[in-house]
Amino acid sequence: MSILLKPIITEKATTQSELLNAYAFEVNTKANKVEIKKAVEAAYGVSVEKVRTINVRPERKTRFTKTGVQHGKTNAVKKAIVQLAEGETIDLYANM
């Protein structure tokens, strides 16, 4: 089970990383804060101060077509915002 799925690179996440030294990741929905902390420390070699998690619910959609009503939904996602210790950074663009 891979805990860290991918980093979240948005305007809001980039601002948080520059000003607050906090980085956002999309993580496994069954992972807890302790597992996320250990995974970030092992993957990037930094010390983590705080981890905050967000469960994003799936978005449900309904379409009315000629063949009838179509129902669908997106996947549920868990996000983690990781606060690093003072003076430490993660270079997310180095591996691309």
Side-chain angles (χ1 to χ4, degrees):
M1 171 174 97
S2 178
I3 294 175
L4 295 177
L5 301 179
K6 62 182 178 180
I8 298 173
I9 302 173
T10 59
E11 188 174 349
K12 184 176 181 179
T14 305
T15 304
Q16 280 186 336
S17 67
E18 291 170 353
L19 299 178
L20 304 174
N21 205 20
Y23 295 86
F25 294 93
E26 191 172 305
V27 296
N28 192 324
T29 53
K30 298 188 182 205
N32 60 32
K33 292 182 180 186
V34 176
E35 293 172 340
I36 294 167
K37 180 179 178 177
K38 288 180 183 175
V40 170
E41 287 176 346
Y44 295 103
V46 294
S47 57
V48 175
E49 277 187 2
K50 187 183 352 180
V51 177
R52 294 171 297 185
T53 58
I54 307 159
N55 283 310
V56 181
R57 69 175 187 274
E59 184 178 328
R60 299 180 188 281
K61 294 185 179 182
T62 304
R63 282 185 307 208
F64 299 97
T65 63
K66 280 193 275 185
T67 58
V69 179
Q70 301 287 323
H71 299 287
K73 70 178 184 75
T74 59
N75 292 331
V77 179
K78 189 173 196 175
K79 297 178 186 178
I81 298 171
V82 178
Q83 179 93 30
L84 298 184
E86 191 70 32
E88 300 209 8
T89 59
I90 295 176
D91 189 12
L92 297 174
Y93 301 106
N95 296 334
M96 291 185 172

